[in-house]
Amino acid sequence: TTDLDNTYTNATANVQFAIEGNITEGMTLEAKILDGDMVVASRISSLTSSLSPQTSSLSMQVTAPRLWSAETPNLYDLVVTLKDDAGHVLDMRGSKVGFREVEIRKDGALTINGKRMVFHGVNRHDFSPVNGRAISDEEIEEDIKTMKRLNINAVRTSHYPNDPLFYDLCDKYGLYVLAEADVECHANQKLSSVSLFRPAMVERSVNHVRWMRNHVCIFMWSFGNESGKGENFIYVGQAIKNLDKTRPTHYEGNSDYADVSSTMYGSYETIEWIGSSRKGQTGVKPHIQCENSHSMGNSMGNVREMFDIYEKYPCLTGEFIWDFKDQGLLTKSGSNEYWAYGGDFGDNPNDGNFCINGLVRPDWSLTSKSYNTKKIYQPLEFKIVNLTKKQFRIKNKMAFLPSTAYEI
């Protein structure tokens, strides 16, 4: 984990470790943070003879690291080396790390590195237009590149953990990830109140956090999706906090158990009321629309008006469009190719066109909804001041980069 100081200038890097095997006196564990070939911080911990496993932690002070955000995805290399008492390397591990801090302000604003966030988000399923759920590395990367081209800055992993490469690439390219556990009992939401199912629900979030918590792109943990209001989620939330107190938690089904409140497809009136009722208050929760702007058919013509509300009130943090990509399978009939779905394979029952609700087509080609989203999510806003004099006002909506980052 990383902990930035009050001015977001310097940082403390905390490394927790567990060592298994024959641990003898004189063994050492060395942690280094590197920027290319340059060591920016290092620390050596001497180990004592003990039974396996041995768990401990060490911390390093880092002066003025380049901070990570979706706009500036700065990464460093962490290298951890285990040596015996003669200095021989026994094991070496490494990963990418970034410095960023997620906080909730007193007015309910969700901040990253001290800056208020309005997420320009999208929900994403793992999907290949050729192989369905068997998605290649290249297809995952094309998903992320297309998101960045459309000015999307956040993604919700609806409704399960994704391929590990996805998080690596979000770290690299810069996307804020609302990481969702694989918990859903849509058809029988009462199960979240049944104690028999509690261990499984807790276990899925625990495994999720342990697996993915070193990824700087993840800004919030989600307990799952549409699984009722049951008390099992109290235990899920407690288990997550026992492992990670650096990130807030989310659950739309019952926001009482989480750090933020959440809705799906809230109306203008609902979102306006949430924002206005919390304005001027202290100790309020941020609010997020984990699903909104259902992009099926000829839709999404009213998204700008929704973002006018999000931007108006500090506690509102934006939305995640449902969803990113049409889930149609490439199918051939003679010399014709088409996207097949909802009964096209003779499957019955089926869900009709309910899987064809993406911003982009299965092959990432763009639609009118893609261009609409790119316009609304653009980092610089242009408004006419005086058309006769050809005067315009440019507003920078980025949190970290100056407007000069773009050629205007």
Side-chain angles (χ1 to χ4, degrees):
T1 60
T2 59
D3 182 22
L4 302 180
D5 64 19
N6 292 336
T7 62
Y8 307 98
T9 303
N10 301 313
T12 303
N14 302 294
V15 181
Q16 293 181 318
F17 58 88
I19 301 173
E20 295 185 354
N22 185 23
I23 304 169
T24 59
E25 201 75 29
M27 293 174 64
T28 61
L29 187 90
E30 180 183 30
K32 290 183 179 180
I33 297 176
L34 298 101
D35 185 5
D37 294 329
M38 183 176 67
V39 177
V40 298
S42 65
R43 183 78 181 273
I44 297 176
S45 177
S46 298
L47 305 180
T48 57
S49 179
S50 67
L51 297 174
S52 175
Q54 183 175 142
T55 60
S56 189
S57 63
L58 55 83
S59 60
M60 298 172 281
Q61 301 304 310
V62 184
T63 302
R66 291 174 291 111
L67 303 185
W68 186 96
S69 70
E71 298 168 24
T72 57
N74 298 307
L75 293 173
Y76 293 82
D77 291 298
L78 171 67
V79 179
V80 181
T81 306
L82 179 66
K83 297 180 181 180
D84 64 17
D85 56 2
H88 300 131
V89 175
L90 301 175
D91 198 356
M92 181 181 289
R93 307 290 176 94
S95 70
K96 294 291 184 181
V97 295
F99 292 86
R100 67 100 185 88
E101 191 144 324
V102 185
E103 297 170 296
I104 296 174
R105 266 187 351 212
K106 290 181 179 180
D107 62 358
L110 193 152
T111 67
I112 290 179
N113 302 338
K115 301 292 186 180
R116 181 201 168 199
M117 291 291 110
V118 176
F119 295 110
H120 298 162
V122 69
N123 283 272
R124 175 188 177 272
H125 275 296
D126 269 333
F127 184 78
S128 164
V130 177
N131 297 310
R133 296 301 184 195
I135 186 168
S136 69
D137 292 355
E138 293 75 17
E139 289 170 324
I140 294 173
E141 188 162 21
E142 190 60 32
D143 277 359
I144 291 173
K145 286 182 176 180
T146 303
M147 290 179 191
K148 294 293 288 188
R149 294 183 188 116
L150 296 178
N151 296 323
I152 291 164
N153 70 1
V155 59
R156 176 181 177 223
T157 61
S158 51
H159 302 289
Y160 42 81
N162 287 189
D163 187 296
L165 177 67
F166 172 79
Y167 305 89
D168 290 337
L169 294 175
C170 288
D171 288 342
K172 174 184 175 181
Y173 285 107
L175 282 171
Y176 302 117
V177 176
L178 173 52
E180 192 150 87
D182 186 10
V183 173
E184 180 155 0
C185 45
H186 204 133
N188 186 359
Q189 298 192 19
K190 293 181 180 179
L191 292 179
S192 61
S193 298
V194 178
S195 59
L196 180 65
F197 287 87
R198 185 181 302 158
M201 295 173 73
V202 170
E203 182 182 56
R204 290 193 175 198
S205 274
V206 166
N207 289 344
H208 185 206
V209 173
R210 284 176 172 166
W211 184 26
M212 292 299 172
R213 60 186 166 184
N214 288 335
H215 285 282
V216 66
C217 63
I218 296 174
F219 75 95
M220 186 155 61
W221 301 110
S222 177
F223 300 166
N225 182 67
E226 294 180 292
S227 296
K229 301 178 181 296
E231 291 186 355
N232 287 350
F233 286 111
I234 296 176
Y235 298 88
V236 170
Q238 291 171 347
I240 290 174
K241 290 298 184 182
N242 287 338
L243 292 170
D244 182 10
K245 294 180 175 64
T246 68
R247 296 175 174 95
T249 54
H250 165 275
Y251 178 58
E252 183 272 338
N254 190 337
S255 296
D256 290 344
Y257 303 149
D259 295 316
V260 307
S261 61
S262 180
T263 48
M264 295 181 179
Y265 312 105
S267 66
Y268 295 131
E269 293 77 14
T270 297
I271 302 305
E272 175 77 33
W273 177 82
I274 291 171
S276 62
S277 65
R278 298 181 191 181
K279 186 177 181 180
Q281 305 296 314
T282 59
V284 294
K285 290 183 176 182
H287 184 81
I288 199 162
Q289 290 244 74
C290 65
E291 290 181 24
N292 201 49
S293 302
H294 200 279
S295 60
M296 178 181 284
N298 183 23
S299 60
M300 299 187 66
N302 57 354
V303 179
R304 177 65 263 168
E305 290 79 4
M306 189 64 82
F307 268 85
D308 288 341
I309 303 174
Y310 298 147
E311 293 168 6
K312 183 178 177 182
Y313 298 106
C315 72
L316 301 181
T317 62
E319 68 172 48
F320 293 78
I321 294 168
W322 187 270
D323 57 11
F324 175 59
K325 187 165 64 176
D326 286 345
Q327 290 135 51
L329 290 166
L330 183 62
T331 304
K332 295 183 179 181
S333 177
S335 60
N336 296 321
E337 291 185 340
Y338 63 97
W339 305 115
Y341 58 89
D344 287 342
F345 299 99
D347 47 309
N348 189 33
N350 62 74
D351 213 9
N353 65 344
F354 210 77
C355 61
I356 305 299
N357 49 15
L359 286 179
V360 300
R361 297 187 179 96
D363 61 352
W364 302 277
S365 58
L366 304 182
T367 67
S368 59
K369 295 172 289 188
S370 311
Y371 293 107
N372 186 59
T373 297
K374 183 178 177 70
K375 170 64 176 175
I376 294 166
Y377 283 6
Q378 67 185 5
L380 302 179
E381 178 182 86
F382 298 81
K383 287 189 175 181
I384 297 171
V385 176
N386 187 315
L387 188 57
T388 303
K389 295 182 180 181
K390 298 181 181 180
Q391 292 179 341
F392 297 83
R393 179 181 292 113
I394 301 174
K395 181 179 180 180
N396 182 6
K397 293 191 173 183
M398 295 182 287
F400 302 101
L401 289 177
S403 59
T404 52
Y406 291 89
E407 293 183 7
I408 302 174

